[in-house]
Amino acid sequence: MGQYDRLGRIGIWNSAWSRAARGEGLTWTPAYEEAAAEVEALGYGAVWLGSSPGVEAAEPVLKATERLTVATGILNIWNHDASDVAARRAAVERAHPGRFLLGLGVSHSRAVERYAKPYSAMRDYLTGLDEAPEPVPADRRVLAALGPKMLELSRDRAGGAHPYLVTPEHTAKARAILGEGPLLAPEVKVVLDTDLDAARGKAREHLALYLALSNYTSNLLRSGFTEEDLAGGGSDRLLDAVFVLGDEAAVAARAAEFLAAGADHLAVQVINGDPARPLPLEEWRRLAPALITG
């Protein structure tokens, strides 16, 4: 991984920190700082902040930890001015050198009223970051890339890619496009439940949002799934491919598949189906021996 060694092989992907930081259905309490510190103590190398955070969402997690890398997974380029993002990133870099990674994405047409020409928009946004008074170095930003063109842009204008809702097979194709060197850090969904029917129920509930977003469905179809796989909340075949359903050993086995396919780092998202536990610490504790020290 080169300059990304400090990420380690395994990180946590979770939206609760960024939602709480901006008061979106959650309230920030010391428990969020304690959870970040425990994630670091467990040996995870990074926290990826979901729910389209701004740079500022990283600051409380960085302050609560000493070594952890904090990444946006991802910052929505339509909602943040490039020059402002560059300035905020520079301030965070001064306060926490080398510990912040800017993940960028184009979001979805359903979520952004002015959504248009996403590839061109991302290319122009990267130019804005390059030309800002305090530029964002290419190797300190990664793109939420799924298709070939965005992966090529991740290779040529950024430090790598952070694909979401993908399989080891997609990872192998992404690595072939990126070549050696750029970071490849796919998100991996996990349901720690050995009751397969219950696990698939949680997975279907979680997947419903994404099956309504064309960026994801197009990539799944491009990856060999069918319209039938996407219907009814997702076929068993689809669920078993884009989630890890089972115990710690199953998660470790799938992680090994991703790494063998060319991933440098995995952003593990635990789906527990419990809104009362937005920070699934119990599952993170169970997974650490299997993924980090196992």
Side-chain angles (χ1 to χ4, degrees), residues 75-78 104-110 112 114-127 143-147 149-151 153-154 157 214-216 218 222:
L75 180 145
N76 182 341
I77 66 169
W78 306 98
L104 302 166
V106 295
S107 189
H108 307 276
S109 57
R110 284 187 52 173
V112 179
R114 58 196 179 95
Y115 187 96
K117 298 182 178 179
Y119 175 81
S120 297
M122 178 60 81
R123 185 186 58 203
D124 293 345
Y125 198 87
L126 295 175
T127 298
L143 309 186
L146 294 174
K149 288 183 66 178
M150 200 65 79
L151 284 164
L153 194 64
S154 302
R157 300 282 309 275
S214 61
N215 290 10
Y216 293 123
S218 294
R222 188 166 53 236

Side-chain angles (χ1 to χ4, degrees), residues 86-186:
R88 289 175 181 269
R89 190 218 68 94
V92 168
E93 176 64 20
R94 285 191 288 270
H96 308 280
R99 294 182 56 208
F100 176 72
L101 182 61
L102 179 64
L104 302 166
V106 295
S107 189
H108 307 276
S109 57
R110 284 187 52 173
V112 179
E113 186 175 340
R114 58 196 179 95
Y115 187 96
K117 298 182 178 179
Y119 175 81
S120 297
M122 178 60 81
R123 185 186 58 203
D124 293 345
Y125 198 87
L126 295 175
T127 298
L129 295 178
D130 291 339
E131 296 177 352
E134 297 184 277
V136 178
D139 65 359
R140 299 311 301 164
R141 61 199 193 200
V142 295
L143 309 186
L146 294 174
K149 288 183 66 178
M150 200 65 79
L151 284 164
E152 290 169 359
L153 194 64
S154 302
R155 177 194 66 205
D156 298 338
R157 300 282 309 275
H162 174 51
Y164 188 94
L165 190 62
V166 293
T167 62
E169 292 75 18
H170 180 277
T171 296
K173 293 176 182 177
R175 174 53 71 197
I177 293 171
L178 291 174
E180 295 301 319
L183 177 71
L184 180 53

Side-chain angles (χ1 to χ4, degrees), residues 54-72:
V55 174
E56 63 279 1
E59 295 184 63
V61 182
L62 287 164
K63 289 178 181 177
T65 55
E66 297 178 358
R67 301 173 307 280
L68 202 69
T69 295
V70 181
T72 51

